[in-house]
């Protein structure tokens, strides 16, 4: 069960190596994600989430903008903190949807 982002990009190399050694790999990922895409090297199963691709993209772009905005350290820190809380809610929701998915 990969986590989207840089950890997935690193994990992908490991999965490719395992596949070369004859292992059968199943990747479980949310339907809406940024980097996790199907491959010939593994079977991919997805599960629904309560948010859209547009919501995820908007959240990521907002976070990127807020990190580099002008303002005092405290103002920038509070904005980034609020955005991280928002991203944490998305992550928690994604995990809950996986745990309560009866098929998976």
């Amino acid at each position: 069960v990969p986590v989207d982002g840089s950890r997935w990009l690193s994990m992908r190399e490991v999965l490719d190596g395992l596949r070369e050694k004859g292992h059968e790999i199943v990747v479980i990922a949310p339907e809406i994600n940024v980097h996790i895409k199907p491959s010939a090297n593994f079977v991919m199963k997805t599960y629904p989430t309560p948010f859209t691709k547009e919501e995820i993209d908007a959240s990521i772009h907002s976070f990127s903008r807020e990190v580099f905005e002008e303002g005092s350290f405290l103002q920038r820190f509070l904005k980034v903190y609020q955005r991280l809380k928002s991203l944490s809610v998305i992550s928690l929701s994604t995990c809950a949807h996986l745990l309560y998915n009866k098929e998976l």
Side-chain angles (χ1 to χ4, degrees):
V1 180
V3 175
D4 212 352
S6 62
R7 291 168 289 221
W8 167 247
L9 299 175
S10 298
M11 180 188 270
R12 181 89 186 244
E13 290 181 31
V14 172
L15 297 180
D16 291 343
L18 288 171
R19 178 68 177 174
E20 287 175 11
K21 294 181 181 198
H23 294 274
E24 188 175 321
I25 300 163
V26 177
V27 171
I28 300 171
E31 286 177 340
I32 306 300
N33 66 73
V34 178
H35 296 291
I36 306 168
K37 304 300 175 214
S39 167
N41 289 339
F42 54 80
V43 173
M44 185 164 160
K45 295 189 178 202
T46 61
Y47 57 95
T49 56
F51 44 80
T52 66
K53 175 88 168 120
E54 292 76 22
E55 290 170 320
I56 294 297
D57 288 344
S59 185
I60 290 169
H61 290 295
S62 290
F63 179 73
S64 299
R65 274 194 319 274
E66 289 168 358
V67 167
F68 297 106
E69 277 185 356
E70 296 289 323
S72 72
F73 172 77
L74 184 58
Q75 288 172 325
R76 289 182 297 138
F77 175 82
L78 291 174
K79 282 183 182 181
V80 169
Y81 175 74
Q82 291 301 322
R83 181 62 56 197
L84 287 173
K85 281 178 45 178
S86 171
L87 291 171
S88 294
V89 167
I90 290 171
S91 294
L92 181 61
S93 174
T94 299
C95 290
H97 276 75
L98 171 58
L99 289 173
Y100 292 107
N101 185 301
K102 292 182 189 235
E103 181 184 329
L104 297 176

